[in-house]
Amino acid sequence: HVQLQESGPGLVKPSQTLSLTCTVSGVSITANYYYWSWIRQPPGKGLEYIGHITYTGTAMYDPFFASRTSISRDTAKNEFTLQLTAVAPEDTAVYYCARRQNWSLDTWGQGTLTTVSS
């Protein structure tokens, strides 16, 4: 049974770096051919795809986020991490991690609300 669980601080101050971790159980993040993704949903808005890290460790980002996003992984802990720099109140959102296979996001974490506020 595959499960993903996001964790993070919940509250980040403007201009700081948001850091979230997704802990995966039931499958290795190095298993062929999964991509491990981050998605967010701001209040009252739709889902936004941030980026992913592949089973080989290659990270790719949506162009909107690319300049201030980093996705990395710790294979020993079977987890992957999102860092978003220079956050602003507009970055307030529910952040989800998910497993992607081909073009389908087939397994999601429950999401974690991260608020950017002073």
Side-chain angles (χ1 to χ4, degrees):
H1 179 56
V2 178
Q3 290 186 303
L4 288 78
Q5 179 66 58
E6 305 90 348
S7 59
L11 178 66
V12 183
K13 295 183 184 302
S15 81
Q16 292 188 340
T17 295
L18 180 160
S19 184
L20 298 173
T21 297
C22 182
T23 302
V24 180
S25 59
V27 64
S28 171
I29 61 172
T30 63
N32 298 343
Y33 295 96
Y34 297 120
Y35 291 4
W36 302 95
S37 302
W38 286 101
I39 306 102
R40 75 179 190 182
Q41 186 168 29
K45 298 186 178 181
L47 293 168
E48 300 175 345
Y49 191 86
I50 300 170
H52 60 254
I53 189 163
T54 72
Y55 60 101
T56 62
T58 300
M60 299 185 71
Y61 311 107
D62 182 276
F64 180 79
F65 295 100
S67 65
R68 59 191 188 102
T69 301
S70 176
I71 298 175
S72 59
R73 67 179 186 173
D74 186 331
T75 56
K77 295 181 179 180
N78 211 43
E79 59 187 32
F80 62 105
T81 299
L82 169 71
Q83 289 196 316
L84 185 66
T85 63
V87 297
E90 307 86 79
D91 293 307
T92 294
V94 177
Y95 286 78
Y96 298 93
C97 58
R99 184 180 74 173
R100 175 177 153 183
Q101 186 174 18
N102 297 319
W103 295 105
S104 174
L105 295 165
D106 64 2
T107 308
W108 293 65
Q110 65 183 21
T112 184
L113 174 63
T114 301
T115 301
V116 180
S117 175
S118 55

